[in-house]
Amino acid sequence: MKPFRTRPGPAPTDAVSLARALSKLGYCSRTQAEKLVREGRVAVDGRIVRHPDLRVDPRRARLQVDGAPVSAARRVYLMLNKPRGLVTTASDPEGRQTVYSCLGGLDLPHLAPVGRLDMASEGLLLMSNDTRWAQRILDPASGVEKTYHVQIDRVPDAPFMARLRQGAVDDDEVLSLKSAALLREGDRNAWLEMVIDEGRNRQIRRIVEATGAQVLRLVRVRIGGLVLGPLPKGAVRELHPEETTLPLLGGASPANAAARRAG
């Protein structure tokens, strides 16, 4: 193949960068695609391209990697029960184990996490190669609720719960909860259910800490209408076709509904 030396002309309306095109087709991550392109392993319409930012229409361009055609992979939507201690990324420079270790041995196209759970957090994590679906879930304008069960290091009284529901300001960032309710309490700690409809970094942990407590465990149990349920720790399952519309429907948990009625 001859190197592609010409500069790209005006981009068509549906054009994206070449690296993004490979990612959108489910071939690999955008970072991996950029590396493949710079190594001269990617061809567009029969010509080798070394510019990851070249604009192409993935529906019309003939893309090849190492001479093999790249076509759209089947759309895959997975639910994972993320164990504590895994990093939500494809690779980690510190060598820590990632959520992709839970996908070992499965015949899957490249998938990306839909949002994140930090290393110490557990529970429901969605993964997909449908970037538009993922973006709809992550878009703050969609208002998709995310429900967490959170163990804290104290038994909360009414003033504590009131402060918690007020949210917090941390590093000049306003942090808020959609709702907070007591699930159960012991002698020295308690489990709360908290709901958010935005995704700021370590949002729940920062609110709890600003209220004077510490998080002992944090488990995401619901995203919109998708419930983690009895899925074992570290296990994955593919969503049923009808489930792929549920995350946009919202839906309150029994604890939240009871708390609203009591309030």
Side-chain angles (χ1 to χ4, degrees):
M1 296 181 187
K2 295 181 179 180
F4 202 172
R5 299 182 185 279
T6 58
R7 291 183 177 274
T13 303
D14 294 325
V16 295
S17 71
L18 179 55
R20 181 172 172 79
L22 290 172
S23 175
K24 286 174 68 70
L25 291 172
Y27 185 83
C28 60
S29 71
R30 195 183 310 187
T31 300
Q32 292 168 331
E34 290 175 353
K35 184 173 183 290
L36 290 173
V37 174
R38 291 194 175 97
E39 290 174 349
R41 298 169 59 185
V42 179
V44 178
D45 295 331
R47 294 176 180 266
I48 293 174
V49 175
R50 295 182 182 271
H51 305 291
D53 294 329
L54 176 78
R55 307 289 286 184
V56 300
D57 185 339
R59 298 178 303 175
R60 296 190 175 94
R62 289 188 298 108
L63 305 182
Q64 295 172 291
V65 176
D66 295 334
V70 176
S71 56
R74 72 179 181 93
R75 294 305 187 195
V76 176
Y77 309 86
L78 289 185
M79 171 189 293
L80 164 66
N81 187 350
K82 175 192 173 297
R84 189 171 184 168
L86 300 185
V87 181
T88 309
T89 184
S91 60
D92 183 68
E94 299 179 31
R96 296 171 295 185
Q97 195 172 17
T98 77
V99 293
Y100 287 87
S101 63
C102 299
L103 308 183
L106 301 178
D107 184 17
L108 296 168
H110 170 74
L111 304 176
V114 182
R116 292 181 180 273
L117 283 173
D118 63 39
M119 186 174 176
S121 299
E122 314 164 48
L124 176 56
L125 179 68
L126 299 176
M127 302 185 73
S128 180
N129 59 351
D130 186 339
T131 55
R132 290 187 178 181
W133 181 78
Q135 188 55 44
R136 288 202 309 272
I137 295 173
L138 298 174
D139 186 351
S142 298
V144 178
E145 294 184 0
K146 299 155 187 88
T147 303
Y148 299 80
H149 287 177
V150 184
Q151 186 184 35
I152 62 172
D153 65 346
R154 65 177 55 200
V155 178
D157 54 17
F160 176 91
M161 294 299 297
R163 293 196 304 273
L164 191 68
R165 293 185 183 111
Q166 289 175 355
V169 176
D170 182 59
D171 289 336
D172 296 324
E173 189 173 18
V174 178
L175 307 172
S176 62
L177 298 173
K178 187 82 177 284
S179 63
L182 177 66
L183 287 174
R184 59 186 182 273
E185 60 184 35
D187 294 332
R188 298 183 179 179
N189 56 66
W191 280 90
L192 308 178
E193 181 175 275
M194 302 185 192
V195 180
I196 61 175
D197 57 5
E198 54 186 359
R200 300 182 186 275
N201 183 41
R202 299 182 71 252
Q203 182 170 341
I204 288 179
R205 294 182 185 275
R206 291 161 68 192
I207 292 175
V208 171
E209 290 170 6
T211 314
Q214 293 293 320
V215 172
L216 302 179
R217 286 185 67 189
L218 189 151
V219 184
R220 185 158 62 195
V221 297
R222 181 192 292 261
I223 298 176
L226 284 172
V227 181
L228 180 61
L231 187 67
K233 192 78 66 179
V236 299
R237 74 168 178 86
E238 195 161 351
L239 299 183
H240 303 297
E242 61 272 17
E243 288 183 300
T244 61
T245 62
L246 288 179
L248 302 180
L249 299 181
S253 69
N256 280 330
R260 279 197 291 272
R261 286 195 298 270

